[in-house]
C-alpha cells in the first residue's frame, strides 16, 4: 500500500423521493441557479417540472441550460459559462447522468476563470476555484456525482480530455434510484459496463499489499454482475436499481476503493480517442476495448487476473494453469458484456482501420499511458486492432 | 436498502512519515492548540517531542493535556474544557488511540457549550458546534479518527455513554502505520476485536437487499483476520499494520459500509455497562460478549449467519443444516478470538454475578437496545450470564 490522501466532502442523500429535497438543499448554497440537463428525458418523466417546483418553493431564481450532449461538448460548456456570467449565477444544479454533471463541473470552474476553460483539460492551467455544484443523478454509471472529475469533448479538434479537481466535488448529490427506472436497456448496460470499468482501472494494479482495496473492488464487481440482468428484465426493480446506483457511486468516489494503489486508466484514455472521433457511448466503447486491454496486459501480473477469475467469476481453476485461469476470467468478462447486450467489436459501430493510427497517436500525445503496463503508440494500436 | 444520508468531511493523510505533516495541517485551522494524549507512551516512542517540534516550526502555541485514560473520564474531559477556556484554544490535536480522540471530541464540543458536557452523553442536549479537531492515530481500533462518535465514562456514576455528531468529525487524521509498531500484543488484539465488532454491529442487520454493504463488511472482516496474527508475530510488519489501520478506519467511518442498513449496537451497549463498572479494555469486553450475543440472536436471521460462516470463515457447510453452519461460524469467531489471545469469559477479569442485574438494568435504561433482536433487561442478563 502506498501513502495516500483521501478527502471527499460530497454529501449524499439517497433514497426514493429524495429529489423533493432539492429546493431545501440548493437554498443552503445559492439563490440564483443554473439548472443544467440533457436531451429532455427529464421533461418526459416529470423530473424537470418537479425540480422547478421545488426550487421555486425555496425562493430560488432559475436559469436553464438544456441539451447537454452524451459526450458533453466544449461549445455547450462555454454557453453555460456565458450564462453564469450574464446572470450572476451562484450555484449550478446538474440533473442527469455523468455528462450533465461533467459539463456542470466545467461550467463551475470556467465561470471563475479568466482564461479559456479548455486550459484545464489541456493541462495548461489548474483549477483554483469553482462555483458550488449540486446534482440529482438519473443514471448509475460515472460516479461523477461523488468525485471531482470531468470529461469534456472539444469536437472541433476531436479532443476528449479530463481533469480532476478538489474544487469540483458536488456539495450534495441526490441519489434516488426510482429516477433510473426509465433508463433504457442500452444505457443500463453501458452504465454498468462503465461502473465495472472504473473498478478495473483501479483493481488491475502493480501496487503490492492492498487486500482490503482489492476486496472492495471485487465487492462492487460481484454486485453489479448480480444486478444488471435483473434491472434489464425488470426496469423498475427497486433493489437492483438501488444496488447499481450505489455501486456506481462507490466505484469512483475519489478513489476510496483503491487508496494507496497505483491506478491505470489507459483503457479510458483509448476509449476517449475513439469517442472523440466517432461519438459512441462511453460504456459501449469500454465494453469493446477492456477485454482486449486485459488480454494484452495480463502477463504483467497473472496473479491478479487469477484472483479476478476466481473471486469475481467463481472459476475454480482446478487442473488449469495460471495463464488459463487468467484468460478464462477475461473471457468470462467478454461473455458477460455480450450477454447483457454490449457490443464487442468496433465494427459494430462501423468503425474500421481508417483512424487507428490517428487514435493511437492522440492517446499518447502526453506520453505513455497506464501504469499496469505503460502503453506507447504501438501498444495502443495493437489493442485497437484486437478490437476491430 | 433504506434511504440514507452520508457525509464524511475528514481528510485522511495516510502513510509512513506523515506525522511530520502535523504542523502544516494544524496551522490551517488554529494557532493556539490543546495537545491531548494518553499515558505517555508517545513520550517513549518520541512522537511527543516530534509533534511539539513540528507544531513549533509552524508557529503554533501549544498547551498540553496528558493522561487521558483508556476509558476516558468525564473529569478529565472537564479539565480539558477548562484549559481551552482559560487559554482561548482554537484547535484540539489528539495524538493517540480512540480514547484520546473521543475525549478530544468531548472537549471540543464542551468548550463551546454553556451547560455540562455530560448533557450530550445523557441525551439532554445536542451538539450545535465544536472546536475543530485533528488527530495523529497510534492504534488501529475505534475508527474515531474518521467519524463523529465519542464515548466517555462518568466514573462517579458508573455511566459509560456515547454521542455522535456531524460537528465532531476530525478535520484531518494522520494515519501512519509505523506508529503502531510499538503497540503491545494485547492492544493489537483488542483493537482488532474492536474493528471486527464494529463490523458485526452493522453486518448483522434485518434490512433486506444490501449486497454491496454486506460484501464491504465481509471484506474488512477477512482482511483483519488475515493480518492480526502477522502483526502479533512481527509487530513491525509494515503491510499488516497498514492493513489493520485502514480496516479500523473503514469499519466505522460514519457508517459508510452499512449505508441504508439498520445497525444493532447492543453488544457495544452491554460492553459499556461492563467497563463502566470494571474498567476493562473495551475490545476485551467485546471479545467475551459478542459470540454470546451471536448465539443468543442468530435465529432472527439464520441466512445472514450462514453467509457469515461461509464467506468470512470459509465453512463449506456441506451436509450441515443452516443452524449448524450458523453455529459453526459463531464458534469460529470465538475460536479466533481465543487463538489471538483475547479473553473468553468475564471470569477471566474476576467478574462474577455480583453486578449482572445492575448492568442489565443500566443497559436498557433508555429502553430496549439493538435492532437485530431488540433486547430487554432479561435478554441482556441472559447474554451476560452466558458470558460468565
Amino acid at each position: 500500500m502506498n501513502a495516500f490522501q483521501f478527502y471527499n466532502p460530497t454529501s449524499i442523500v439517497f433514497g426514493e423521493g429524495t429529489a423533493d429535497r432539492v429546493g431545501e438543499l440548493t437554498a443552503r448554497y445559492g439563490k440564483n441557479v443554473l439548472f443544467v440537463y440533457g436531451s429532455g428525458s427529464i421533461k418526459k418523466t416529470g423530473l424537470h417540472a418537479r425540480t422547478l417546483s421545488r426550487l421555486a418553493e425555496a425562493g430560488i431564481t432559475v436559469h436553464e441550460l438544456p441539451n447537454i450532449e452524451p459526450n458533453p461538448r466544449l461549445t455547450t460548456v462555454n454557453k453555460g459559462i456565458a450564462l453564469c456570467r450574464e446572470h450572476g449565477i451562484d450555484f449550478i444544479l446538474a440533473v442527469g447522468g455523468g455528462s450533465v454533471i461533467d459539463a456542470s463541473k466545467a461550467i463551475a470552474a470556467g465561470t471563475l476563470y479568466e482564461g479559456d476553460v479548455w486550459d484545464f483539460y489541456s493541462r495548461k492551467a489548474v483549477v483554483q476555484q469553482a462555483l458550488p455544484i449540486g446534482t440529482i443523478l438519473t443514471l448509475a454509471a460515472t460516479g461523477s456525482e461523488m468525485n471531482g472529475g470531468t470529461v469534456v469533448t472539444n469536437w472541433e479538434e476531436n479532443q476528449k480530455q479530463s481533469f480532476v479537481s478538489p474544487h469540483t466535488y458536488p456539495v450534495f448529490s441526490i441519489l434516488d434510484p426510482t429516477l433510473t427506472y426509465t433508463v433504457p436497456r442500452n444505457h443500463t448496460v453501458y452504465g454498468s459496463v462503465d461502473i465495472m470499468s472504473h473498478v478495473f482501472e483501479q483493481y488491475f494494479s502493480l501496487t503490492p499489499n492492498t487486500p482490503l482495496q482489492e476486496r472492495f473492488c471485487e465487492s462492487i464487481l460481484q454486485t453489479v454482475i448480480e444486478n444488471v440482468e435483473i434491472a434489464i428484465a425488470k426496469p423498475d426493480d427497486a433493489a437492483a436499481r438501488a444496488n447499481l446506483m450505489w455501486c456506481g457511486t462507490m466505484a469512483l468516489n475519489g478513489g476510496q476503493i483503491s487508496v494507496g494503489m497505483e491506478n491505470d486508466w489507459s483503457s479510458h484514455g483509448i476509449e476517449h480517442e475513439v469517442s472523440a472521433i466517432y461519438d459512441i457511448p462511453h460504456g459501449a466503447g469500454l465494453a469493446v476495448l477492456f477485454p482486449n486491454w486485459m488480454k494484452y496486459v495480463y502477463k504483467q501480473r497473472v496473479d491478479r487476473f487469477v484472483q479476478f477469475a476466481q473471486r469475481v467469476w467463481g472459476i475454480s481453476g482446478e487442473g488449469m494453469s495460471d495463464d488459463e485461469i487468467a484468460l478464462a476470467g477475461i473471457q468470462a468478462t467478454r461473455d458477460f458484456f455480450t450477454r447483457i447486450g454490449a457490443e464487442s467489436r468496433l465494427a459494430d459501430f462501423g468503425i474500421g482501420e481508417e483512424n487507428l493510427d490517428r487514435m493511437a497517436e492522440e492517446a499518447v500525445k502526453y506520453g505513455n499511458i497506464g501504469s499496469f503496463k505503460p502503453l506507447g503508440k504501438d501498444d495502443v494500436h495493437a489493442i485497437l486492432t484486437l478490437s476491430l
Side-chain angles (χ1 to χ4, degrees), chain A:
Chain A
M1 196 185 321
N2 300 331
F4 67 85
Q5 296 194 48
F6 181 77
Y7 173 63
N8 191 325
T10 301
S11 182
I12 295 292
V13 180
F14 188 104
E16 183 174 351
T18 50
D20 286 323
R21 293 192 51 197
V22 69
E24 161 216 338
L25 290 166
T26 300
R28 294 181 195 173
Y29 302 95
K31 279 285 170 196
N32 192 22
V33 168
L34 186 69
F35 174 11
V36 183
Y37 55 97
S39 62
S41 66
I42 65 165
K43 291 195 174 168
K44 282 184 225 142
T45 62
L47 181 59
H48 179 265
R50 185 177 166 194
T51 301
L52 286 178
S53 294
R54 295 298 91 78
L55 293 172
E57 285 160 14
I60 291 163
T61 304
V62 177
H63 301 270
E64 299 189 38
L65 178 65
N67 299 320
I68 303 296
E69 304 83 4
N71 285 315
R73 298 188 181 189
L74 179 60
T75 46
T76 313
V77 166
N78 278 323
K79 209 189 290 179
I81 292 170
L83 279 173
C84 285
R85 289 177 178 160
E86 184 187 339
H87 298 293
I89 295 294
D90 53 16
F91 186 82
I92 298 177
L93 178 67
V95 181
S99 302
V100 170
I101 301 172
D102 284 13
S104 297
K105 290 175 181 175
I107 296 166
T111 298
L112 301 187
Y113 176 63
E114 289 196 0
D116 181 350
V117 67
W118 189 249
D119 291 352
F120 301 133
Y121 295 90
S122 61
R123 308 187 187 187
K124 278 191 204 149
V126 170
V127 176
Q128 302 296 336
Q129 54 179 339
L131 290 174
I133 310 162
T135 88
I136 302 178
L137 186 67
T138 61
L139 178 71
T142 70
S144 190
E145 65 276 12
M146 201 181 183
N147 67 45
T150 160
V151 184
V152 160
T153 299
N154 181 339
W155 190 248
E156 287 62 38
E157 298 181 19
N158 291 127
Q159 301 277 331
K160 185 174 180 178
Q161 298 293 337
S162 63
F163 74 76
V164 179
S165 166
H167 299 288
T168 46
Y169 278 75
V171 292
F172 69 79
S173 280
I174 293 173
L175 274 57
D176 179 346
T178 67
L179 299 177
T180 65
Y181 289 178
T182 52
V183 172
R185 177 187 171 122
N186 64 336
H187 284 290
T188 300
V189 169
Y190 296 150
S192 300
V193 171
D194 196 28
I195 296 169
M196 293 178 68
S197 299
H198 292 159
V199 177
F200 294 154
E201 299 282 18
Q202 300 169 78
Y203 178 72
F204 294 109
S205 170
L206 299 180
T207 310
N209 179 45
T210 54
L212 183 63
Q213 293 89 325
E214 293 158 37
R215 287 194 172 101
F216 278 179
C217 288
E218 291 154 358
S219 297
I220 295 173
L221 294 172
Q222 290 177 286
T223 306
V224 172
I225 291 164
E226 276 174 6
N227 284 278
V228 182
E229 288 169 288
I230 299 170
I232 292 171
K234 187 171 176 292
D236 62 349
D237 188 284
R241 290 296 193 179
N243 290 330
L244 289 176
M245 189 168 246
W246 191 233
C247 281
T249 304
M250 284 295 94
L252 202 56
N253 68 331
Q256 188 176 2
I257 59 169
S258 67
V259 286
M261 295 172 80
E262 203 165 6
N263 285 198
D264 191 83
W265 294 105
S266 62
S267 298
H268 269 71
I270 301 172
E271 195 290 321
H272 288 177
E273 297 311 328
V274 177
S275 53
I277 297 179
Y278 296 100
D279 204 14
I280 65 173
H282 175 57
L286 290 167
V288 170
L289 292 165
F290 232 120
N292 293 318
W293 174 85
M294 291 179 178
K295 274 188 217 164
Y296 194 78
V297 306
Y298 82 94
K299 283 183 194 270
Q300 297 293 108
R301 185 165 186 183
V302 177
D303 66 323
R304 180 58 46 82
F305 277 90
V306 169
Q307 179 177 314
F308 170 62
Q310 295 184 321
R311 292 193 188 169
V312 175
W313 295 113
I315 294 164
S316 80
E318 220 176 287
M320 293 162 74
S321 71
D322 280 359
D323 270 44
E324 287 168 342
I325 299 170
L327 288 168
I330 296 168
Q331 189 60 45
T333 309
R334 160 63 68 220
D335 292 346
F336 178 74
F337 287 166
T338 302
R339 190 164 79 240
I340 61 177
E343 289 77 0
S344 61
R345 297 175 57 204
L346 291 173
D348 296 330
F349 298 98
I351 301 173
E353 295 181 288
E354 61 281 2
N355 283 306
L356 248 55
D357 205 59
R358 179 178 166 196
M359 293 189 284
E361 178 104 28
E362 282 290 322
V364 300
K365 70 169 170 289
Y366 297 122
N368 286 354
I369 55 174
S371 65
F372 191 73
K373 178 181 171 76
L375 305 176
K377 186 187 163 186
D378 290 349
D379 301 303
V380 175
H381 199 283
I383 291 167
L384 286 166
T385 303
L386 281 171
S387 306
L388 286 171

